Amino acid sequence: MPADCANALSMMQDTEALLAVLRRAPVVPVLIVDNVDYAVPLAKALVAGGLPALEVTMRTPVALDVIKAMASVEGAFVGAGTVLDPEMADAAKAAGATYMVSPGATPTLLAHALKIGMPLLPGVATASEAMMARECGYRIMKFFPAGPAGGPTYLKALSSPLAELTFCPTGGVSAANARDYLSLPNVVCVGGSWVAPDDAMRSGDWARIEALAAEAVKLAV
């Protein structure tokens, strides 16, 4: 077991708490927001449409401010995405994120999330990566990039040998193929950006985003 993980193993991922958030809807919107003014109306539209678990990616200079603003929206469970290291994890927690998502996983990040008591959905793309995260105390993971990594066929193949693990596939997931993932026994939800198109945000078409969220809710199987 990696040394960093061994130091934090007694503090295993709070599986039930994370599942409680992810089970609220079949889709977690993956959001790249470059204008803080979009934050509150965007979160309100997604929550009103039935998607309360939100992932704000840390890919823009205003991401932390967006997380802070969205955290004030009633019914929203705001997570920070694209968390790459302990410093980003600390900043996300301070901004009010209730959980974190990473594209991959290092022993240092896995251990730090456990240390600070911040639920983390670590990214994995192979059985070996999933087993490493499991050794660090994790049971729920992000399968990323889902499409290039093998899609539903690969993820289904993991359901028997890694039966205790649950996944949220993200990357290449769309309204057209979401049900292929959601029908798998080891999938709790999917992550996708199609519910919040950039052009809808820039034009302030929050009604369109709410309608897309409502359609996404119907993908539940």
Side-chain angles (χ1 to χ4, degrees):
M1 179 188 303
D4 287 335
C5 289
N7 293 335
L9 187 56
S10 62
M11 299 176 287
M12 294 183 68
Q13 178 191 46
D14 192 338
T15 302
E16 290 307 314
L18 193 51
L19 279 176
V21 173
L22 299 180
R23 282 174 174 160
R24 290 179 178 272
V27 178
V28 174
V30 179
L31 310 170
I32 302 175
V33 185
D34 60 10
N35 188 329
V36 179
D37 292 339
Y38 301 158
V40 170
L42 175 59
K44 286 183 175 179
L46 291 168
V47 171
L51 302 182
L54 314 176
E55 178 189 337
V56 178
T57 61
M58 304 264 279
R59 303 183 199 177
T60 70
V62 298
L64 291 173
D65 292 326
V66 170
I67 290 171
K68 289 178 183 177
M70 284 189 170
S72 69
V73 174
E74 184 176 359
F77 295 83
V78 186
T82 322
V83 174
L84 306 178
D85 51 48
E87 291 74 24
M88 293 178 74
D90 291 340
K93 183 175 183 179
T98 57
Y99 67 98
M100 304 182 296
V101 185
S102 60
T106 65
T108 300
L109 179 60
L110 293 171
H112 187 73
L114 295 173
K115 180 181 178 181
I116 65 175
M118 187 67 161
L120 170 67
L121 195 63
V124 300
T126 67
S128 293
E129 291 173 359
M131 289 171 63
M132 189 272 287
R134 176 184 175 277
E135 285 189 356
C136 289
Y138 289 81
R139 297 295 180 267
I140 311 172
M141 303 169 196
K142 170 183 176 178
F143 180 52
F144 178 83
T153 301
Y154 183 84
L155 199 51
K156 182 179 180 180
L158 296 182
S159 64
S160 181
L162 299 177
E164 66 183 313
L165 303 185
T166 303
F167 298 90
C168 173
T170 304
V173 180
S174 67
N177 63 15
R179 279 200 176 98
D180 294 336
Y181 290 99
L182 292 168
S183 65
L184 300 178
N186 55 345
V187 169
V188 61
C189 63
V190 299
S193 60
W194 79 88
V195 294
D198 186 68
D199 63 325
M201 281 192 278
R202 295 192 183 283
S203 65
D205 194 349
W206 311 119
R208 178 185 169 199
I209 290 176
E210 181 177 340
L212 287 170
E215 286 298 314
V217 171
K218 297 177 183 177
L219 292 170
V221 294

